[in-house]
Structures are given as structure tokens and as C-alpha cells.
Amino acid sequence: MANATTETDESRLPSMKQRLRLGFLLLSILPLISCVIAMLTIDRMADLQDSWIDSYRIQQQAQQQAQMQQLGMEKLARHWPSLSPRERQVWLTELGERQQQLTDSLEDPKAKGLAEELLRSLKSLDPQATDAFSLPGMAEASRDLGVRIGKLSQSQLDKQQHDAALDRWKLKLILAGFTLLLLLISQTLAWFILGRHFVRPLLQLRRRLNLLSQQRPIVAGLTPVNREVQQMDEQLSRLQQRLGQETGLAQKDAITGLHNRSALNQHLQQQWLRALRHGDNLSLLLLSPDKLQQYDGTPLGPLPHPSFIRVIQLLELHCNRADDFLAHVRDDTLALVLSGTDLEQAVKQAQKLCQLTLSADIPAPLKASNPRITLSVGIASQVPRSAHAWDSLLQDAEAALVQARAQGGNQALVAPCALPDRQAPIAQVS
């Protein structure tokens, strides 16, 4: 049932290929949109330029027509007496049509009024008259009209050029805004597609692998954004379970069932760093049953295994705090890590264990000079000052244990470097 549910969930999630295909499709649309916007902007700027050119051309044509009217009227005034009425009529008709076109093309009210007045004056001329005294004045008025049109043309062109420059800047700002918007959209899509579905799972994968390499528990898994990531998450979970089982077996001593030396070193380092961060005490007891001897002082050999197991059971029964850590170091030597315990408390605990071992009346072999099993303890306690000096506890406790055995056993001695004063008396149980 669980497998069927997992397969159903995986079928609902898209694959990496689908995510990549979707991401590339969306990202490829953005350049197309940018090209369309750029082309529209270029067309708009071209339209503005064409409008400005057309306006300039119209103004130039109006100015040229005014100049031609001036020249035509001056020429007609000079040749009026020598022209026949019919020729005069042709000239007047041509000048009237040109004046009408000029009047229609003007937008300025004053210039348009002056052009209309000239048009009426032209229409009022009689080709049958022998003299045309008004033509020189009309030519002068046409010249003034041309000058006025020229000034208007220049001012209008300056204004149009200024407006065209403003429009170009507006288009540039609009294009820059669209570019920034497309950039923001592309970054958002890139994060949504690549970051959320690829980069973040890889970072989570690296974090999980680091925790696995440090043999630490993993709190959160990978975010199932696609089928491949979900499969990796399930494989990592199975790998974590397998490593946890193998690590638990590898850190257990096969003879005693206690933690072995490797687990002791790892735990001692962790507690040393914890005490270093909090400025707390850390104590270590090295415990070992005393060597068995015959009445003549001849060694009897190692402690029988059943007796050693009874000592271990006794220690496990009375070292029941949550932070107590009991491990088998070597042969018949045990270690007890006391976290958050100062020297005075460690000495009391060591004396208690020595007394409990003596009171348990664990029998020794028949040939032993001492009928009961006794315990020697080496005590070391420090407030850590350096992150790399954790093994000094083992060295100090080892030295204290050797001294306790040398003084006859059945006692707990404190390492000299752990005492506030090196000349202070040594704790002893007899």
C-alpha cells in the first residue's frame, strides 16, 4: 500500500526534464517580447522623425511660395504696361492660384489674414487697366509675408524638435522600464525554475550528506519539487537508517555490550566542545578492578569474565543519569564521562562506586589474597579552555588510575593537575 502511494505521489510530480523544458520555454519567450517592444519603439521613433520631416517640408514649401509670389508680383508690376489684357489675365490667374494654395497651407492667424488680404487684392485687379499702382505694395506685402512665414517656420521647427527630443526620451525611459521589468521577470523565473527546483534541492542534499558524514540525525528532508528529488530523498532516508544501524553496531563493544573506545572519543570530544561553549566543568573517571594476586604476591592473571560483567552491571545500575556515559576502554578498564560535573562531585561519585563495588561482595578466585573484587578509580576534571585539548582528560585520569593501583588499589585518586593545589591531599577509599 505504501509503495502504491509513493508511486502515485511520484506520478503527480513533474520530472526534471519537464521543469527544464518549461523553464527554457518561458525564458525564450522573454527575448521575443523584448524584440517586439524594441521594434514598436523604433517604429514610434521613426514616425516622430517622419512627422518632423513632413512639417519641415510644408514650412519650406510655404516659404518658397511666398518668395515666388513676391517675385511674380514684382515682375508683373514691371511688365504690366507692355502686356496685353489677356496676358495680364493669365498672370493674375496664376498668382491667384498660388496665393490660394499659400493661404490654405498657413495656420498662424495673422499670416493667414495677410495672405487672404493679398488674395483679395489680386482678385480686385482689372487686366484692362493701363496701370496697376497697387502691385508694388502687394509685392512688398508678399515679401513681409515670406519673412513672417520664415520666422514662424523656424519657431515651429524648434518647438517640434524639442517635442521630438522629449518623445525620444520618453520612449527610451519606457524601453528601459520594460527591460528592467523583463529582467526582473527572467530572474524570478530563473529562481522559480532553476533555484527552487534544482539549486535548493542540491543545497539541501549537501546539508543532509554533511549530517550523514557527521553521523548526526537529520531533522528535515528534501523538498519534493520533482520526481528525481523525491527519489533522492527516499534513498537518503534509507541510507541514513542503514548507517545508523551500522554505526550503532560499530560503536558497541562485542565483549561487554558497552560503548567502545571510538564511541568514547567521539562523545568526549562533543562534551568537551559543549563545556567549552558554556564554560562548564567536564569530569572523567577511569575505573578498573584491582589486579588479583596470590598470597605470595604472584599475579593470578586477568579478572574472570563473569566477575568483570558483574562489575559492569553494578556500574550501569548506579550510573543512571541521562548525561552519564559508560564505555569499555581496554581489557578490564572502563571510562565514565560525567558532563556538567565539577571535581568535588566527581570525587564523591568515584568514592561511591568504590564503596558499592566493595559492598557488592563480588567473590575473587580461591587463590587470590583478597577474597573480594575491589575497584580503583582515576579522576580528572577540567573546565575546557582550548578546543583541541580534550585528550588531556584521558591522560590525567590514566595517570591517576596508575597511581591508585600502585598504592594498593581500592581507592579513588585525583589527577594532580586537576587539583586546585597540587599539594592538596588525594581522595582515597579504603
Side-chain angles (χ1 to χ4, degrees):
M1 184 68 180
N3 293 334
T5 304
T6 303
E7 291 177 357
T8 304
D9 293 339
E10 287 184 1
S11 62
R12 293 176 181 175
L13 291 173
S15 64
M16 285 188 176
K17 290 183 179 179
Q18 292 175 341
R19 293 290 189 186
L20 282 175
R21 192 179 297 112
L22 176 61
F24 287 138
L25 177 62
L26 293 176
L27 291 177
S28 62
I29 292 176
L30 293 179
L32 296 177
I33 298 176
S34 179
C35 290
V36 171
I37 295 174
M39 292 176 63
L40 293 176
T41 304
I42 293 173
D43 289 341
R44 177 58 181 166
M45 294 180 69
D47 292 340
L48 291 174
Q49 187 71 18
D50 293 341
S51 176
W52 182 82
I53 292 174
D54 292 340
S55 177
Y56 178 76
R57 186 183 298 112
I58 292 173
Q59 298 296 335
Q60 289 293 320
Q61 290 176 356
Q63 190 174 3
Q64 290 175 2
Q65 286 179 354
Q67 292 175 355
M68 291 177 63
Q69 285 292 91
Q70 175 191 352
L71 295 175
M73 291 179 184
E74 290 177 351
K75 187 175 181 181
L76 180 60
R78 287 195 305 267
H79 297 85
W80 182 273
S82 61
L83 295 176
S84 64
R86 184 176 181 181
E87 291 175 338
R88 293 171 187 168
Q89 184 64 43
V90 172
W91 275 79
L92 290 174
T93 303
E94 182 180 351
L95 289 173
E97 292 176 354
R98 189 183 298 125
Q99 189 67 31
Q100 183 66 50
Q101 294 176 0
L102 178 60
T103 302
D104 295 338
S105 65
L106 294 176
E107 296 179 357
D108 183 67
K110 292 183 179 181
K112 194 177 185 65
L114 182 57
E116 290 176 349
E117 184 178 352
L118 284 173
L119 180 59
R120 287 193 297 269
S121 299
L122 283 173
K123 290 181 179 180
S124 65
L125 289 175
D126 184 9
Q128 301 296 330
T130 57
D131 293 322
F133 298 103
S134 60
L135 276 175
M138 292 172 62
E140 186 69 19
S142 181
R143 185 185 65 82
D144 294 340
L145 179 60
V147 173
R148 186 175 185 85
I149 291 174
K151 292 181 179 180
L152 290 174
S153 301
Q154 186 62 40
S155 62
Q156 289 178 1
L157 289 175
D158 292 340
K159 183 178 182 302
Q160 290 177 358
Q161 190 174 7
H162 181 264
D163 294 341
L166 288 178
D167 291 338
R168 283 195 297 270
W169 274 107
K170 290 179 182 178
L171 289 175
K172 290 179 181 178
L173 291 177
I174 293 174
L175 184 60
F178 272 110
T179 303
L180 291 177
L181 179 61
L182 291 177
L183 180 62
L184 179 61
I185 294 175
S186 64
Q187 294 297 319
T188 304
L189 288 176
W191 165 247
F192 183 78
I193 300 297
L194 300 178
R196 183 173 181 268
H197 295 280
F198 296 96
V199 178
R200 188 167 67 178
L202 289 177
L203 294 177
Q204 293 175 348
L205 178 61
R206 184 188 67 177
R207 191 180 303 114
R208 291 197 64 176
L209 291 176
N210 288 337
L211 293 176
L212 283 176
S213 64
Q214 298 172 8
Q215 298 179 357
R216 293 167 58 187
I218 298 175
V219 179
L222 303 179
T223 304
V225 293
N226 49 55
R227 288 200 294 267
E228 289 80 1
V229 173
Q230 186 175 19
Q231 291 172 0
M232 285 191 293
D233 182 61
E234 295 173 355
Q235 293 172 0
L236 282 175
S237 299
R238 290 193 293 267
L239 178 61
Q240 181 190 5
Q241 295 176 358
R242 188 182 307 168
L243 287 177
Q245 296 172 357
E246 294 177 356
T247 302
L249 295 175
Q251 292 186 346
K252 292 292 184 179
D253 181 68
I255 299 176
T256 62
L258 299 175
H259 297 287
N260 57 18
R261 179 61 182 268
S262 176
L264 171 65
N265 291 341
Q266 181 179 349
H267 180 77
L268 191 58
Q269 291 181 45
Q270 294 174 353
Q271 295 304 312
W272 180 271
L273 295 176
R274 186 198 64 80
L276 178 64
R277 289 193 302 270
H278 297 88
D280 206 353
N281 291 88
L282 181 63
S283 299
L284 175 67
L285 307 183
L286 282 185
L287 313 99
S288 178
D290 293 322
K291 299 294 183 181
L292 300 176
Q293 296 180 350
Q294 297 182 10
Y295 289 98
D296 58 358
T298 303
L300 278 177
L303 183 69
H305 183 67
S307 301
F308 187 46
I309 294 300
R310 287 192 60 184
V311 172
I312 292 175
Q313 292 173 348
L314 178 67
L315 295 178
E316 287 181 325
L317 181 63
H318 293 88
C319 298
N320 51 10
R321 295 191 315 170
D323 294 334
D324 291 346
F325 187 87
L326 186 62
H328 183 206
V329 181
R330 64 180 182 275
D331 298 333
D332 57 354
T333 303
L334 306 173
L336 177 61
V337 181
L338 302 174
S339 301
T341 304
D342 58 15
L343 179 60
E344 181 180 357
Q345 295 173 337
V347 169
K348 290 181 180 179
Q349 180 71 1
Q351 292 174 344
K352 174 184 175 182
L353 294 177
C354 288
Q355 187 63 46
L356 288 172
T357 304
L358 183 64
S359 302
D361 199 17
I362 301 174
L366 295 177
K367 296 182 179 180
S369 59
N370 191 348
R372 293 179 296 179
I373 301 298
T374 56
L375 189 68
S376 293
V377 183
I379 308 170
S381 181
Q382 294 186 32
V383 177
R385 304 299 181 194
S386 172
H388 304 289
W390 61 272
D391 56 346
S392 61
L393 274 179
L394 284 170
Q395 298 173 2
D396 294 343
E398 183 71 28
L401 177 60
V402 171
Q403 188 176 1
R405 282 179 168 179
Q407 294 181 4
N410 192 26
Q411 56 186 310
L413 295 184
V414 180
C417 62
L419 293 171
D421 183 355
R422 289 179 179 267
Q423 302 300 325
I426 299 175
Q428 180 175 353
V429 176
S430 58

